[in-house]
Amino acid sequence: MEWFQSLDAVYQALIATLFTWFVTALGASVVFLFKTIHKTILNGMMGFAAGVMIAASVWSLLIPSIEMSQSLNVKEYVPALIGFLLGGAFLWLFDQIIPHLHIGEDRSDAEGVPTSLHRSILLVFAITLHNIPEGLAVGIAFGAVAGGAEGATLAGAIALAIGMAIQNFPEGASVSLPLRRDGFSRMKSFMYGQASAIVEPIAGVIGALLVVTITPIQPYALAFAAGAMIYVVVEELIPEAQRNSNTDIATIGCMLGFAVMMTLDVALG
């Protein structure tokens, strides 16, 4: 822990997001054990991921953003409000531009700009969209600690990274298993699954650099990451989790995910 504390915030963010990528790879590796997974279990896992992201957005991002804003010459809710809406708009824009396909949908249902890319690539792009705000959130959290932001703690940033890693496990499986079911080899399915999280270390380093370099944007940046994650939850994770009429399982998974992330943040932060 002392060694980790002594590192620059950018290196801390890089290590933390490499860890979240590693857990995604662990999730993708279940394809070596199973060719498919019961849809009920997959729905519960996606619901769990949604719950984690909702709780992280509130406890790890929005509340610290509001606390930081109390020392600024603005109403404390203003940076959180502006950042939150900009984060959602950012993901909405990416959603319109990047071609992607949600799990369980036909190739003809692909969103974003028209493309002839294979269905498997579009599935990977969909999960990659999820991972951009997750990486940003972790990087911004570590950058805020280094910048001495009020309410930001190293333990809280670590708790956020752990929470993101936990919910990355089902995301990795949600890519590799459908690809295996579509006829891809186990190794190719795994490689696509883990590749969906490669963007996290990149986004994490960018987030940390921005917050450390331009400290006044800290509360806005935290809320920005929260808005982006809530957009992902409402636009993609919850609808995907409630496919096949497994709404109760998805809801229970979401509640459990929320409880786990809330406990992690309060206990460690």
Side-chain angles (χ1 to χ4, degrees), residues 41-261:
I41 296 176
L42 187 59
N43 290 149
M45 291 167 69
M46 297 302 287
F48 183 90
V52 169
M53 291 180 72
I54 294 170
S57 297
V58 176
W59 268 271
S60 299
L61 300 171
L62 287 174
I63 291 177
S65 172
I66 293 170
E67 291 176 349
M68 291 176 196
S69 302
Q70 292 173 356
S71 61
L72 302 178
N73 192 28
V74 294
K75 294 288 187 181
E76 61 257 25
Y77 62 82
V78 171
L81 176 62
I82 293 174
F84 183 81
L85 294 178
L86 285 176
F90 173 79
L91 254 291
W92 175 84
L93 181 61
F94 266 53
D95 205 41
Q96 306 308 305
I97 295 174
I98 297 178
H100 61 284
L101 180 67
H102 297 265
I103 297 167
E105 292 185 345
D106 294 330
R107 175 65 179 76
S108 59
D109 296 322
E111 299 179 12
V113 297
T115 179
S116 59
L117 289 172
H118 192 278
R119 181 176 183 275
S120 60
I121 302 297
L122 296 177
L123 283 171
V124 174
F125 281 180
I127 301 298
T128 300
L129 276 174
H130 298 182
N131 290 325
I132 292 174
E134 294 168 19
L136 278 174
V138 173
I140 290 168
F142 280 102
V145 174
E150 184 177 351
T153 66
L154 182 60
I158 293 173
L160 177 60
I162 293 172
M164 293 298 98
I166 291 172
Q167 65 91 39
N168 271 1
F169 187 89
E171 285 193 354
S174 70
V175 176
S176 64
L177 289 172
L179 294 181
R180 176 61 178 157
R181 191 168 58 245
D182 287 348
F184 283 74
S185 68
R186 284 186 168 88
M187 179 56 70
K188 193 169 185 179
S189 299
F190 166 75
M191 293 304 294
Y192 276 126
Q194 62 81 31
S196 67
I198 288 178
V199 70
E200 284 201 21
I202 299 170
V205 168
I206 291 173
L209 277 171
L210 283 174
V211 172
V212 169
T213 305
I214 315 172
T215 53
I217 71 167
Q218 289 173 354
Y220 296 92
L222 286 169
F224 181 93
M229 289 210 294
I230 292 297
Y231 181 92
V232 167
V233 169
V234 178
E235 169 73 10
E236 301 189 19
L237 288 183
I238 290 179
E240 288 173 13
Q242 299 206 345
R243 290 185 187 277
N244 311 306
S245 301
N246 292 320
T247 56
D248 289 344
I249 297 299
T251 301
I252 292 170
C254 185
M255 295 288 290
L256 289 175
F258 188 98
V260 168
M261 186 63 226

